[in-house]
Amino acid sequence: MTFLDLRSIKLRSGEEYRDEQEVGLQPLILGGKRYVPVPEQVPAELVVTRATTGTVFELRLRVRLHGPCYRCLEDAVFERDLELREYQADSPGDSDELTTPYLANDRLDLSAWGRDALVLALPDKILCKPDCAGLCPVCGLDLNREPHEHAASGGDPRWAALAELRDRL
Ligand SMILES: [Zn+2]
Ligand SMILES: [Zn+2]
């Protein structure tokens, strides 16, 4: 996990601190399937700006997530540039909007921040291509590679599967 130790950064009002960081991201489990960030250590640009009444944190990173297509289970890639911003007031009072959940004991949790932002940026379904045809509900073959239909007139789908197999032999 990647943290930024704020005690090592002393800023006066109006000053900023810039750094290149590698942010470690954990694999995500979505719908029972595993999606892995590639690389797992994501190069990121971090800017910390000291304002009069608090501190602004900005993080820019490009994430790539590899995992199975929601429809056909072939490899799919999700890629996105993330530009994140959090604010921590010196005296936030009771307002959640003036604090960042990723800051605790002067340490900013860059990994948790990046992971949450990635999850929010994800589409409903990660697909190998937008028009992925998926798997045939009758025989399970990949409809992208072998587009086909089965006769709708009833029949036992197991026989259909055998017929498919026979055709392929
Ligand atoms: Zn697919
Ligand atoms: Zn089929």
PDB file of all heavy atoms in Angstrom, residues 129-166:
ATOM      1  N   LYS A 129     -15.114  -5.773 -26.212  1.00  0.00           N
ATOM      2  CA  LYS A 129     -15.412  -4.743 -27.212  1.00  0.00           C
ATOM      3  C   LYS A 129     -16.869  -4.353 -27.009  1.00  0.00           C
ATOM      4  O   LYS A 129     -17.655  -5.159 -26.505  1.00  0.00           O
ATOM      5  CB  LYS A 129     -15.158  -5.269 -28.636  1.00  0.00           C
ATOM      6  CG  LYS A 129     -15.898  -6.543 -28.953  1.00  0.00           C
ATOM      7  CD  LYS A 129     -15.520  -7.098 -30.307  1.00  0.00           C
ATOM      8  CE  LYS A 129     -16.245  -8.423 -30.563  1.00  0.00           C
ATOM      9  NZ  LYS A 129     -15.869  -9.065 -31.810  1.00  0.00           N
ATOM     10  N   PRO A 130     -17.235  -3.135 -27.404  1.00  0.00           N
ATOM     11  CA  PRO A 130     -18.577  -2.644 -27.051  1.00  0.00           C
ATOM     12  C   PRO A 130     -19.705  -3.533 -27.566  1.00  0.00           C
ATOM     13  O   PRO A 130     -20.738  -3.653 -26.919  1.00  0.00           O
ATOM     14  CB  PRO A 130     -18.635  -1.261 -27.735  1.00  0.00           C
ATOM     15  CG  PRO A 130     -17.209  -0.863 -27.916  1.00  0.00           C
ATOM     16  CD  PRO A 130     -16.431  -2.129 -28.105  1.00  0.00           C
ATOM     17  N   ASP A 131     -19.490  -4.187 -28.718  1.00  0.00           N
ATOM     18  CA  ASP A 131     -20.573  -4.993 -29.292  1.00  0.00           C
ATOM     19  C   ASP A 131     -20.312  -6.488 -29.121  1.00  0.00           C
ATOM     20  O   ASP A 131     -20.733  -7.293 -29.943  1.00  0.00           O
ATOM     21  CB  ASP A 131     -20.746  -4.645 -30.775  1.00  0.00           C
ATOM     22  CG  ASP A 131     -19.478  -4.912 -31.571  1.00  0.00           C
ATOM     23  OD1 ASP A 131     -18.408  -5.099 -30.928  1.00  0.00           O
ATOM     24  OD2 ASP A 131     -19.537  -4.936 -32.815  1.00  0.00           O
ATOM     25  N   CYS A 132     -19.627  -6.854 -28.068  1.00  0.00           N
ATOM     26  CA  CYS A 132     -19.351  -8.267 -27.820  1.00  0.00           C
ATOM     27  C   CYS A 132     -20.652  -9.064 -27.858  1.00  0.00           C
ATOM     28  O   CYS A 132     -21.628  -8.707 -27.198  1.00  0.00           O
ATOM     29  CB  CYS A 132     -18.670  -8.459 -26.469  1.00  0.00           C
ATOM     30  SG  CYS A 132     -18.529 -10.204 -25.991  1.00  0.00           S
ATOM     31  N   ALA A 133     -20.670 -10.151 -28.627  1.00  0.00           N
ATOM     32  CA  ALA A 133     -21.892 -10.936 -28.793  1.00  0.00           C
ATOM     33  C   ALA A 133     -22.105 -11.927 -27.648  1.00  0.00           C
ATOM     34  O   ALA A 133     -23.190 -12.481 -27.495  1.00  0.00           O
ATOM     35  CB  ALA A 133     -21.845 -11.677 -30.133  1.00  0.00           C
ATOM     36  N   GLY A 134     -21.068 -12.173 -26.878  1.00  0.00           N
ATOM     37  CA  GLY A 134     -21.225 -13.060 -25.719  1.00  0.00           C
ATOM     38  C   GLY A 134     -21.221 -14.533 -26.082  1.00  0.00           C
ATOM     39  O   GLY A 134     -20.862 -14.928 -27.193  1.00  0.00           O
ATOM     40  N   LEU A 135     -21.636 -15.336 -25.113  1.00  0.00           N
ATOM     41  CA  LEU A 135     -21.677 -16.779 -25.305  1.00  0.00           C
ATOM     42  C   LEU A 135     -23.097 -17.205 -25.662  1.00  0.00           C
ATOM     43  O   LEU A 135     -24.064 -16.626 -25.180  1.00  0.00           O
ATOM     44  CB  LEU A 135     -21.246 -17.498 -24.017  1.00  0.00           C
ATOM     45  CG  LEU A 135     -19.849 -17.178 -23.495  1.00  0.00           C
ATOM     46  CD1 LEU A 135     -19.599 -17.920 -22.191  1.00  0.00           C
ATOM     47  CD2 LEU A 135     -18.788 -17.517 -24.521  1.00  0.00           C
ATOM     48  N   CYS A 136     -23.188 -18.219 -26.487  1.00  0.00           N
ATOM     49  CA  CYS A 136     -24.500 -18.746 -26.860  1.00  0.00           C
ATOM     50  C   CYS A 136     -25.171 -19.329 -25.616  1.00  0.00           C
ATOM     51  O   CYS A 136     -24.590 -20.159 -24.925  1.00  0.00           O
ATOM     52  CB  CYS A 136     -24.344 -19.818 -27.929  1.00  0.00           C
ATOM     53  SG  CYS A 136     -25.881 -20.672 -28.284  1.00  0.00           S
ATOM     54  N   PRO A 137     -26.409 -18.905 -25.307  1.00  0.00           N
ATOM     55  CA  PRO A 137     -27.082 -19.414 -24.105  1.00  0.00           C
ATOM     56  C   PRO A 137     -27.454 -20.891 -24.233  1.00  0.00           C
ATOM     57  O   PRO A 137     -27.734 -21.544 -23.237  1.00  0.00           O
ATOM     58  CB  PRO A 137     -28.326 -18.532 -24.001  1.00  0.00           C
ATOM     59  CG  PRO A 137     -28.540 -17.986 -25.361  1.00  0.00           C
ATOM     60  CD  PRO A 137     -27.200 -17.905 -26.022  1.00  0.00           C
ATOM     61  N   VAL A 138     -27.462 -21.403 -25.451  1.00  0.00           N
ATOM     62  CA  VAL A 138     -27.852 -22.802 -25.649  1.00  0.00           C
ATOM     63  C   VAL A 138     -26.644 -23.732 -25.561  1.00  0.00           C
ATOM     64  O   VAL A 138     -26.631 -24.693 -24.807  1.00  0.00           O
ATOM     65  CB  VAL A 138     -28.564 -22.975 -27.006  1.00  0.00           C
ATOM     66  CG1 VAL A 138     -28.894 -24.445 -27.243  1.00  0.00           C
ATOM     67  CG2 VAL A 138     -29.818 -22.125 -27.051  1.00  0.00           C
ATOM     68  N   CYS A 139     -25.594 -23.418 -26.321  1.00  0.00           N
ATOM     69  CA  CYS A 139     -24.474 -24.363 -26.384  1.00  0.00           C
ATOM     70  C   CYS A 139     -23.197 -23.821 -25.757  1.00  0.00           C
ATOM     71  O   CYS A 139     -22.234 -24.562 -25.592  1.00  0.00           O
ATOM     72  CB  CYS A 139     -24.213 -24.779 -27.826  1.00  0.00           C
ATOM     73  SG  CYS A 139     -23.511 -23.451 -28.830  1.00  0.00           S
ATOM     74  N   GLY A 140     -23.171 -22.540 -25.421  1.00  0.00           N
ATOM     75  CA  GLY A 140     -21.998 -22.014 -24.722  1.00  0.00           C
ATOM     76  C   GLY A 140     -20.844 -21.608 -25.615  1.00  0.00           C
ATOM     77  O   GLY A 140     -19.827 -21.148 -25.119  1.00  0.00           O
ATOM     78  N   LEU A 141     -20.982 -21.766 -26.935  1.00  0.00           N
ATOM     79  CA  LEU A 141     -19.901 -21.340 -27.823  1.00  0.00           C
ATOM     80  C   LEU A 141     -19.818 -19.815 -27.870  1.00  0.00           C
ATOM     81  O   LEU A 141     -20.808 -19.127 -27.647  1.00  0.00           O
ATOM     82  CB  LEU A 141     -20.137 -21.873 -29.243  1.00  0.00           C
ATOM     83  CG  LEU A 141     -19.876 -23.363 -29.461  1.00  0.00           C
ATOM     84  CD1 LEU A 141     -20.195 -23.721 -30.907  1.00  0.00           C
ATOM     85  CD2 LEU A 141     -18.444 -23.731 -29.113  1.00  0.00           C
ATOM     86  N   ASP A 142     -18.622 -19.332 -28.180  1.00  0.00           N
ATOM     87  CA  ASP A 142     -18.383 -17.884 -28.270  1.00  0.00           C
ATOM     88  C   ASP A 142     -19.014 -17.365 -29.560  1.00  0.00           C
ATOM     89  O   ASP A 142     -18.583 -17.718 -30.660  1.00  0.00           O
ATOM     90  CB  ASP A 142     -16.870 -17.632 -28.258  1.00  0.00           C
ATOM     91  CG  ASP A 142     -16.550 -16.143 -28.190  1.00  0.00           C
ATOM     92  OD1 ASP A 142     -17.417 -15.319 -28.564  1.00  0.00           O
ATOM     93  OD2 ASP A 142     -15.432 -15.819 -27.779  1.00  0.00           O
ATOM     94  N   LEU A 143     -20.029 -16.515 -29.430  1.00  0.00           N
ATOM     95  CA  LEU A 143     -20.757 -16.032 -30.613  1.00  0.00           C
ATOM     96  C   LEU A 143     -19.940 -15.019 -31.417  1.00  0.00           C
ATOM     97  O   LEU A 143     -20.293 -14.699 -32.544  1.00  0.00           O
ATOM     98  CB  LEU A 143     -22.086 -15.413 -30.188  1.00  0.00           C
ATOM     99  CG  LEU A 143     -23.119 -16.430 -29.674  1.00  0.00           C
ATOM    100  CD1 LEU A 143     -24.314 -15.701 -29.071  1.00  0.00           C
ATOM    101  CD2 LEU A 143     -23.560 -17.366 -30.785  1.00  0.00           C
ATOM    102  N   ASN A 144     -18.852 -14.493 -30.835  1.00  0.00           N
ATOM    103  CA  ASN A 144     -17.980 -13.610 -31.614  1.00  0.00           C
ATOM    104  C   ASN A 144     -17.236 -14.410 -32.677  1.00  0.00           C
ATOM    105  O   ASN A 144     -17.047 -13.964 -33.799  1.00  0.00           O
ATOM    106  CB  ASN A 144     -16.965 -12.927 -30.705  1.00  0.00           C
ATOM    107  CG  ASN A 144     -17.626 -12.032 -29.675  1.00  0.00           C
ATOM    108  OD1 ASN A 144     -18.371 -11.135 -30.027  1.00  0.00           O
ATOM    109  ND2 ASN A 144     -17.372 -12.307 -28.410  1.00  0.00           N
ATOM    110  N   ARG A 145     -16.800 -15.607 -32.293  1.00  0.00           N
ATOM    111  CA  ARG A 145     -16.004 -16.423 -33.215  1.00  0.00           C
ATOM    112  C   ARG A 145     -16.876 -17.251 -34.127  1.00  0.00           C
ATOM    113  O   ARG A 145     -16.548 -17.500 -35.270  1.00  0.00           O
ATOM    114  CB  ARG A 145     -15.112 -17.372 -32.411  1.00  0.00           C
ATOM    115  CG  ARG A 145     -13.974 -16.657 -31.739  1.00  0.00           C
ATOM    116  CD  ARG A 145     -13.022 -17.683 -31.173  1.00  0.00           C
ATOM    117  NE  ARG A 145     -12.371 -17.157 -29.976  1.00  0.00           N
ATOM    118  CZ  ARG A 145     -11.912 -17.906 -28.997  1.00  0.00           C
ATOM    119  NH1 ARG A 145     -12.042 -19.209 -29.055  1.00  0.00           N
ATOM    120  NH2 ARG A 145     -11.325 -17.354 -27.969  1.00  0.00           N
ATOM    121  N   GLU A 146     -17.996 -17.745 -33.575  1.00  0.00           N
ATOM    122  CA  GLU A 146     -18.859 -18.622 -34.353  1.00  0.00           C
ATOM    123  C   GLU A 146     -20.298 -18.161 -34.248  1.00  0.00           C
ATOM    124  O   GLU A 146     -21.081 -18.724 -33.481  1.00  0.00           O
ATOM    125  CB  GLU A 146     -18.733 -20.062 -33.860  1.00  0.00           C
ATOM    126  CG  GLU A 146     -17.321 -20.597 -34.002  1.00  0.00           C
ATOM    127  CD  GLU A 146     -17.243 -22.065 -33.596  1.00  0.00           C
ATOM    128  OE1 GLU A 146     -18.111 -22.842 -34.036  1.00  0.00           O
ATOM    129  OE2 GLU A 146     -16.322 -22.408 -32.854  1.00  0.00           O
ATOM    130  N   PRO A 147     -20.625 -17.112 -35.003  1.00  0.00           N
ATOM    131  CA  PRO A 147     -22.014 -16.628 -34.961  1.00  0.00           C
ATOM    132  C   PRO A 147     -22.948 -17.735 -35.454  1.00  0.00           C
ATOM    133  O   PRO A 147     -22.694 -18.355 -36.491  1.00  0.00           O
ATOM    134  CB  PRO A 147     -22.005 -15.445 -35.934  1.00  0.00           C
ATOM    135  CG  PRO A 147     -20.561 -15.109 -36.139  1.00  0.00           C
ATOM    136  CD  PRO A 147     -19.803 -16.383 -35.957  1.00  0.00           C
ATOM    137  N   HIS A 148     -23.980 -18.024 -34.730  1.00  0.00           N
ATOM    138  CA  HIS A 148     -24.936 -19.044 -35.152  1.00  0.00           C
ATOM    139  C   HIS A 148     -26.231 -18.883 -34.375  1.00  0.00           C
ATOM    140  O   HIS A 148     -26.276 -18.188 -33.378  1.00  0.00           O
ATOM    141  CB  HIS A 148     -24.361 -20.448 -34.929  1.00  0.00           C
ATOM    142  CG  HIS A 148     -24.130 -20.745 -33.464  1.00  0.00           C
ATOM    143  ND1 HIS A 148     -22.993 -20.378 -32.810  1.00  0.00           N
ATOM    144  CD2 HIS A 148     -24.920 -21.342 -32.536  1.00  0.00           C
ATOM    145  CE1 HIS A 148     -23.069 -20.752 -31.529  1.00  0.00           C
ATOM    146  NE2 HIS A 148     -24.234 -21.333 -31.333  1.00  0.00           N
ATOM    147  N   GLU A 149     -27.244 -19.564 -34.848  1.00  0.00           N
ATOM    148  CA  GLU A 149     -28.507 -19.587 -34.128  1.00  0.00           C
ATOM    149  C   GLU A 149     -28.960 -21.019 -34.038  1.00  0.00           C
ATOM    150  O   GLU A 149     -28.538 -21.864 -34.831  1.00  0.00           O
ATOM    151  CB  GLU A 149     -29.564 -18.767 -34.877  1.00  0.00           C
ATOM    152  CG  GLU A 149     -29.330 -17.271 -34.754  1.00  0.00           C
ATOM    153  CD  GLU A 149     -30.335 -16.472 -35.572  1.00  0.00           C
ATOM    154  OE1 GLU A 149     -31.345 -17.071 -36.007  1.00  0.00           O
ATOM    155  OE2 GLU A 149     -30.099 -15.269 -35.781  1.00  0.00           O
ATOM    156  N   HIS A 150     -29.806 -21.276 -33.091  1.00  0.00           N
ATOM    157  CA  HIS A 150     -30.373 -22.606 -32.966  1.00  0.00           C
ATOM    158  C   HIS A 150     -31.827 -22.543 -33.380  1.00  0.00           C
ATOM    159  O   HIS A 150     -32.488 -21.529 -33.175  1.00  0.00           O
ATOM    160  CB  HIS A 150     -30.277 -23.105 -31.527  1.00  0.00           C
ATOM    161  CG  HIS A 150     -28.859 -23.269 -31.072  1.00  0.00           C
ATOM    162  ND1 HIS A 150     -28.169 -24.434 -31.219  1.00  0.00           N
ATOM    163  CD2 HIS A 150     -27.992 -22.384 -30.524  1.00  0.00           C
ATOM    164  CE1 HIS A 150     -26.937 -24.270 -30.744  1.00  0.00           C
ATOM    165  NE2 HIS A 150     -26.803 -23.030 -30.326  1.00  0.00           N
ATOM    166  N   ALA A 151     -32.320 -23.636 -33.955  1.00  0.00           N
ATOM    167  CA  ALA A 151     -33.727 -23.669 -34.338  1.00  0.00           C
ATOM    168  C   ALA A 151     -34.567 -23.426 -33.099  1.00  0.00           C
ATOM    169  O   ALA A 151     -34.358 -24.053 -32.062  1.00  0.00           O
ATOM    170  CB  ALA A 151     -34.064 -25.031 -34.954  1.00  0.00           C
ATOM    171  N   ALA A 152     -35.507 -22.484 -33.222  1.00  0.00           N
ATOM    172  CA  ALA A 152     -36.273 -22.087 -32.054  1.00  0.00           C
ATOM    173  C   ALA A 152     -37.344 -23.118 -31.702  1.00  0.00           C
ATOM    174  O   ALA A 152     -37.968 -23.048 -30.661  1.00  0.00           O
ATOM    175  CB  ALA A 152     -36.929 -20.727 -32.284  1.00  0.00           C
ATOM    176  N   SER A 153     -37.556 -24.106 -32.582  1.00  0.00           N
ATOM    177  CA  SER A 153     -38.686 -25.027 -32.401  1.00  0.00           C
ATOM    178  C   SER A 153     -38.390 -26.077 -31.333  1.00  0.00           C
ATOM    179  O   SER A 153     -38.324 -27.270 -31.605  1.00  0.00           O
ATOM    180  CB  SER A 153     -38.999 -25.724 -33.731  1.00  0.00           C
ATOM    181  OG  SER A 153     -37.839 -26.426 -34.150  1.00  0.00           O
ATOM    182  N   GLY A 154     -38.217 -25.625 -30.157  1.00  0.00           N
ATOM    183  CA  GLY A 154     -38.019 -26.557 -29.047  1.00  0.00           C
ATOM    184  C   GLY A 154     -36.803 -27.423 -29.249  1.00  0.00           C
ATOM    185  O   GLY A 154     -35.735 -26.927 -29.618  1.00  0.00           O
ATOM    186  N   GLY A 155     -36.954 -28.705 -29.081  1.00  0.00           N
ATOM    187  CA  GLY A 155     -35.803 -29.582 -29.219  1.00  0.00           C
ATOM    188  C   GLY A 155     -34.981 -29.523 -27.948  1.00  0.00           C
ATOM    189  O   GLY A 155     -35.050 -28.573 -27.195  1.00  0.00           O
ATOM    190  N   ASP A 156     -34.210 -30.517 -27.742  1.00  0.00           N
ATOM    191  CA  ASP A 156     -33.400 -30.589 -26.520  1.00  0.00           C
ATOM    192  C   ASP A 156     -32.074 -29.883 -26.759  1.00  0.00           C
ATOM    193  O   ASP A 156     -31.341 -30.255 -27.669  1.00  0.00           O
ATOM    194  CB  ASP A 156     -33.157 -32.061 -26.177  1.00  0.00           C
ATOM    195  CG  ASP A 156     -32.528 -32.211 -24.806  1.00  0.00           C
ATOM    196  OD1 ASP A 156     -31.722 -31.333 -24.434  1.00  0.00           O
ATOM    197  OD2 ASP A 156     -32.846 -33.189 -24.123  1.00  0.00           O
ATOM    198  N   PRO A 157     -31.785 -28.831 -25.962  1.00  0.00           N
ATOM    199  CA  PRO A 157     -30.540 -28.084 -26.187  1.00  0.00           C
ATOM    200  C   PRO A 157     -29.293 -28.963 -26.088  1.00  0.00           C
ATOM    201  O   PRO A 157     -28.274 -28.649 -26.669  1.00  0.00           O
ATOM    202  CB  PRO A 157     -30.562 -27.022 -25.080  1.00  0.00           C
ATOM    203  CG  PRO A 157     -31.627 -27.430 -24.117  1.00  0.00           C
ATOM    204  CD  PRO A 157     -32.588 -28.286 -24.873  1.00  0.00           C
ATOM    205  N   ARG A 158     -29.400 -30.083 -25.378  1.00  0.00           N
ATOM    206  CA  ARG A 158     -28.215 -30.946 -25.286  1.00  0.00           C
ATOM    207  C   ARG A 158     -27.903 -31.561 -26.648  1.00  0.00           C
ATOM    208  O   ARG A 158     -26.767 -31.744 -27.026  1.00  0.00           O
ATOM    209  CB  ARG A 158     -28.455 -32.054 -24.257  1.00  0.00           C
ATOM    210  CG  ARG A 158     -28.321 -31.549 -22.831  1.00  0.00           C
ATOM    211  CD  ARG A 158     -28.751 -32.588 -21.851  1.00  0.00           C
ATOM    212  NE  ARG A 158     -30.157 -32.954 -22.053  1.00  0.00           N
ATOM    213  CZ  ARG A 158     -30.792 -33.885 -21.346  1.00  0.00           C
ATOM    214  NH1 ARG A 158     -30.156 -34.558 -20.424  1.00  0.00           N
ATOM    215  NH2 ARG A 158     -32.052 -34.147 -21.571  1.00  0.00           N
ATOM    216  N   TRP A 159     -28.963 -31.868 -27.396  1.00  0.00           N
ATOM    217  CA  TRP A 159     -28.737 -32.412 -28.737  1.00  0.00           C
ATOM    218  C   TRP A 159     -28.144 -31.346 -29.642  1.00  0.00           C
ATOM    219  O   TRP A 159     -27.289 -31.634 -30.473  1.00  0.00           O
ATOM    220  CB  TRP A 159     -30.052 -32.932 -29.334  1.00  0.00           C
ATOM    221  CG  TRP A 159     -30.515 -34.172 -28.656  1.00  0.00           C
ATOM    222  CD1 TRP A 159     -31.635 -34.323 -27.897  1.00  0.00           C
ATOM    223  CD2 TRP A 159     -29.843 -35.430 -28.621  1.00  0.00           C
ATOM    224  NE1 TRP A 159     -31.715 -35.597 -27.393  1.00  0.00           N
ATOM    225  CE2 TRP A 159     -30.628 -36.303 -27.825  1.00  0.00           C
ATOM    226  CE3 TRP A 159     -28.670 -35.916 -29.195  1.00  0.00           C
ATOM    227  CZ2 TRP A 159     -30.269 -37.629 -27.584  1.00  0.00           C
ATOM    228  CZ3 TRP A 159     -28.313 -37.230 -28.951  1.00  0.00           C
ATOM    229  CH2 TRP A 159     -29.095 -38.073 -28.159  1.00  0.00           C
ATOM    230  N   ALA A 160     -28.604 -30.131 -29.430  1.00  0.00           N
ATOM    231  CA  ALA A 160     -28.064 -29.027 -30.233  1.00  0.00           C
ATOM    232  C   ALA A 160     -26.571 -28.894 -29.982  1.00  0.00           C
ATOM    233  O   ALA A 160     -25.776 -28.702 -30.899  1.00  0.00           O
ATOM    234  CB  ALA A 160     -28.788 -27.729 -29.879  1.00  0.00           C
ATOM    235  N   ALA A 161     -26.190 -29.012 -28.714  1.00  0.00           N
ATOM    236  CA  ALA A 161     -24.779 -28.896 -28.372  1.00  0.00           C
ATOM    237  C   ALA A 161     -23.984 -30.010 -29.027  1.00  0.00           C
ATOM    238  O   ALA A 161     -22.887 -29.789 -29.550  1.00  0.00           O
ATOM    239  CB  ALA A 161     -24.611 -28.945 -26.852  1.00  0.00           C
ATOM    240  N   LEU A 162     -24.554 -31.202 -29.042  1.00  0.00           N
ATOM    241  CA  LEU A 162     -23.867 -32.327 -29.680  1.00  0.00           C
ATOM    242  C   LEU A 162     -23.744 -32.102 -31.178  1.00  0.00           C
ATOM    243  O   LEU A 162     -22.723 -32.404 -31.786  1.00  0.00           O
ATOM    244  CB  LEU A 162     -24.637 -33.631 -29.425  1.00  0.00           C
ATOM    245  CG  LEU A 162     -24.401 -34.246 -28.044  1.00  0.00           C
ATOM    246  CD1 LEU A 162     -25.296 -35.474 -27.858  1.00  0.00           C
ATOM    247  CD2 LEU A 162     -22.935 -34.629 -27.883  1.00  0.00           C
ATOM    248  N   ALA A 163     -24.798 -31.533 -31.742  1.00  0.00           N
ATOM    249  CA  ALA A 163     -24.770 -31.260 -33.170  1.00  0.00           C
ATOM    250  C   ALA A 163     -23.679 -30.247 -33.500  1.00  0.00           C
ATOM    251  O   ALA A 163     -22.953 -30.390 -34.487  1.00  0.00           O
ATOM    252  CB  ALA A 163     -26.140 -30.741 -33.627  1.00  0.00           C
ATOM    253  N   GLU A 164     -23.577 -29.243 -32.645  1.00  0.00           N
ATOM    254  CA  GLU A 164     -22.523 -28.241 -32.826  1.00  0.00           C
ATOM    255  C   GLU A 164     -21.160 -28.917 -32.819  1.00  0.00           C
ATOM    256  O   GLU A 164     -20.306 -28.669 -33.658  1.00  0.00           O
ATOM    257  CB  GLU A 164     -22.551 -27.228 -31.674  1.00  0.00           C
ATOM    258  CG  GLU A 164     -23.735 -26.295 -31.669  1.00  0.00           C
ATOM    259  CD  GLU A 164     -23.639 -25.246 -32.751  1.00  0.00           C
ATOM    260  OE1 GLU A 164     -22.524 -25.079 -33.307  1.00  0.00           O
ATOM    261  OE2 GLU A 164     -24.676 -24.621 -33.059  1.00  0.00           O
ATOM    262  N   LEU A 165     -20.996 -29.780 -31.857  1.00  0.00           N
ATOM    263  CA  LEU A 165     -19.722 -30.450 -31.679  1.00  0.00           C
ATOM    264  C   LEU A 165     -19.406 -31.299 -32.917  1.00  0.00           C
ATOM    265  O   LEU A 165     -18.307 -31.275 -33.448  1.00  0.00           O
ATOM    266  CB  LEU A 165     -19.821 -31.339 -30.426  1.00  0.00           C
ATOM    267  CG  LEU A 165     -18.532 -31.741 -29.762  1.00  0.00           C
ATOM    268  CD1 LEU A 165     -17.755 -30.498 -29.347  1.00  0.00           C
ATOM    269  CD2 LEU A 165     -18.819 -32.607 -28.531  1.00  0.00           C
ATOM    270  N   ARG A 166     -20.434 -31.990 -33.400  1.00  0.00           N
ATOM    271  CA  ARG A 166     -20.259 -32.863 -34.550  1.00  0.00           C
ATOM    272  C   ARG A 166     -19.852 -32.034 -35.772  1.00  0.00           C
ATOM    273  O   ARG A 166     -18.963 -32.413 -36.526  1.00  0.00           O
ATOM    274  CB  ARG A 166     -21.568 -33.610 -34.834  1.00  0.00           C
ATOM    275  CG  ARG A 166     -21.424 -34.771 -35.802  1.00  0.00           C
ATOM    276  CD  ARG A 166     -22.776 -35.271 -36.202  1.00  0.00           C
ATOM    277  NE  ARG A 166     -23.568 -34.180 -36.797  1.00  0.00           N
ATOM    278  CZ  ARG A 166     -24.875 -34.048 -36.637  1.00  0.00           C
ATOM    279  NH1 ARG A 166     -25.557 -34.905 -35.916  1.00  0.00           N
ATOM    280  NH2 ARG A 166     -25.523 -33.034 -37.224  1.00  0.00           N
TER     281      ARG A 166
END
